[in-house]
PDB file of all heavy atoms in Angstrom:
ATOM      1  N   ALA O1521     -30.868 -26.724  51.364  1.00 90.00           N
ATOM      2  CA  ALA O1521     -30.067 -25.611  51.701  1.00 90.00           C
ATOM      3  C   ALA O1521     -30.732 -24.346  51.234  1.00 90.00           C
ATOM      4  O   ALA O1521     -31.601 -24.351  50.344  1.00 90.00           O
ATOM      5  CB  ALA O1521     -28.655 -25.679  51.142  1.00 90.00           C
ATOM      6  N   LEU O1565      -9.787  15.391  20.056  1.00 93.00           N
ATOM      7  CA  LEU O1565      -9.079  14.283  19.515  1.00 93.00           C
ATOM      8  C   LEU O1565      -9.235  14.218  18.002  1.00 93.00           C
ATOM      9  O   LEU O1565      -8.277  13.937  17.266  1.00 93.00           O
ATOM     10  CB  LEU O1565      -9.591  12.946  20.100  1.00 93.00           C
ATOM     11  CG  LEU O1565      -9.326  12.716  21.529  1.00 93.00           C
ATOM     12  CD1 LEU O1565     -10.053  11.525  22.020  1.00 93.00           C
ATOM     13  CD2 LEU O1565      -7.763  12.492  21.799  1.00 93.00           C
ATOM     14  N   ARG O1577       0.486  14.108   5.046  1.00 93.00           N
ATOM     15  CA  ARG O1577       0.377  14.431   3.635  1.00 93.00           C
ATOM     16  C   ARG O1577       1.563  15.269   3.193  1.00 93.00           C
ATOM     17  O   ARG O1577       2.116  15.123   2.125  1.00 93.00           O
ATOM     18  CB  ARG O1577      -0.912  15.227   3.306  1.00 93.00           C
ATOM     19  CG  ARG O1577      -2.179  14.363   3.367  1.00 93.00           C
ATOM     20  CD  ARG O1577      -3.373  15.037   2.778  1.00 93.00           C
ATOM     21  NE  ARG O1577      -3.734  16.234   3.542  1.00 93.00           N
ATOM     22  CZ  ARG O1577      -4.605  16.126   4.560  1.00 93.00           C
ATOM     23  NH1 ARG O1577      -5.158  14.988   4.906  1.00 93.00           N
ATOM     24  NH2 ARG O1577      -4.991  17.223   5.216  1.00 93.00           N
ATOM     25  N   SER O1587      12.009  11.585  -4.306  1.00 88.00           N
ATOM     26  CA  SER O1587      12.116  10.375  -5.145  1.00 88.00           C
ATOM     27  C   SER O1587      12.200  10.848  -6.651  1.00 88.00           C
ATOM     28  O   SER O1587      12.914  10.225  -7.453  1.00 88.00           O
ATOM     29  CB  SER O1587      10.827   9.516  -5.002  1.00 88.00           C
ATOM     30  OG  SER O1587      10.847   8.938  -3.672  1.00 88.00           O
ATOM     31  N   ASN O1660      28.727  11.503 -12.425  1.00 80.00           N
ATOM     32  CA  ASN O1660      28.273  10.312 -11.667  1.00 80.00           C
ATOM     33  C   ASN O1660      28.733  10.403 -10.127  1.00 80.00           C
ATOM     34  O   ASN O1660      27.867  10.031  -9.348  1.00 80.00           O
ATOM     35  CB  ASN O1660      28.924   9.047 -12.227  1.00 80.00           C
ATOM     36  CG  ASN O1660      28.164   8.591 -13.556  1.00 80.00           C
ATOM     37  OD1 ASN O1660      27.096   9.069 -13.792  1.00 80.00           O
ATOM     38  ND2 ASN O1660      28.725   7.684 -14.296  1.00 80.00           N
ATOM     39  N   THR O1731     -28.666 -10.396  34.286  1.00 92.00           N
ATOM     40  CA  THR O1731     -29.788 -10.895  35.066  1.00 92.00           C
ATOM     41  C   THR O1731     -30.573 -12.072  34.403  1.00 92.00           C
ATOM     42  O   THR O1731     -31.491 -12.570  34.882  1.00 92.00           O
ATOM     43  CB  THR O1731     -30.879  -9.741  35.238  1.00 92.00           C
ATOM     44  OG1 THR O1731     -31.217  -9.143  34.016  1.00 92.00           O
ATOM     45  CG2 THR O1731     -30.231  -8.676  36.171  1.00 92.00           C
ATOM     46  N   GLN O1732     -30.070 -12.430  33.181  1.00 92.00           N
ATOM     47  CA  GLN O1732     -30.751 -13.669  32.512  1.00 92.00           C
ATOM     48  C   GLN O1732     -30.095 -14.925  33.003  1.00 92.00           C
ATOM     49  O   GLN O1732     -30.666 -15.937  33.088  1.00 92.00           O
ATOM     50  CB  GLN O1732     -30.576 -13.494  30.998  1.00 92.00           C
ATOM     51  CG  GLN O1732     -31.515 -12.385  30.361  1.00 92.00           C
ATOM     52  CD  GLN O1732     -31.463 -12.398  28.904  1.00 92.00           C
ATOM     53  OE1 GLN O1732     -30.618 -13.115  28.304  1.00 92.00           O
ATOM     54  NE2 GLN O1732     -32.396 -11.669  28.279  1.00 92.00           N
ATOM     55  N   THR O1771     -28.166 -25.909  37.910  1.00 95.00           N
ATOM     56  CA  THR O1771     -26.935 -26.759  37.665  1.00 95.00           C
ATOM     57  C   THR O1771     -25.755 -26.269  38.614  1.00 95.00           C
ATOM     58  O   THR O1771     -25.510 -25.063  38.647  1.00 95.00           O
ATOM     59  CB  THR O1771     -26.436 -26.636  36.147  1.00 95.00           C
ATOM     60  OG1 THR O1771     -27.495 -26.991  35.294  1.00 95.00           O
ATOM     61  CG2 THR O1771     -25.281 -27.473  35.905  1.00 95.00           C
ATOM     62  N   LYS O1804     -31.580 -20.183  34.687  1.00 94.00           N
ATOM     63  CA  LYS O1804     -32.059 -19.249  33.712  1.00 94.00           C
ATOM     64  C   LYS O1804     -33.177 -18.421  34.294  1.00 94.00           C
ATOM     65  O   LYS O1804     -34.178 -19.058  34.678  1.00 94.00           O
ATOM     66  CB  LYS O1804     -32.496 -19.984  32.434  1.00 94.00           C
ATOM     67  CG  LYS O1804     -31.351 -20.417  31.513  1.00 94.00           C
ATOM     68  CD  LYS O1804     -30.797 -19.231  30.771  1.00 94.00           C
ATOM     69  CE  LYS O1804     -29.735 -19.691  29.753  1.00 94.00           C
ATOM     70  NZ  LYS O1804     -29.153 -18.550  29.077  1.00 94.00           N
TER      71      LYS O1804
END
Side-chain angles (χ1 to χ4, degrees):
L1565 290 173
R1577 287 193 295 270
S1587 297
N1660 281 346
T1731 54
Q1732 290 189 347
T1771 304
K1804 279 289 185 181

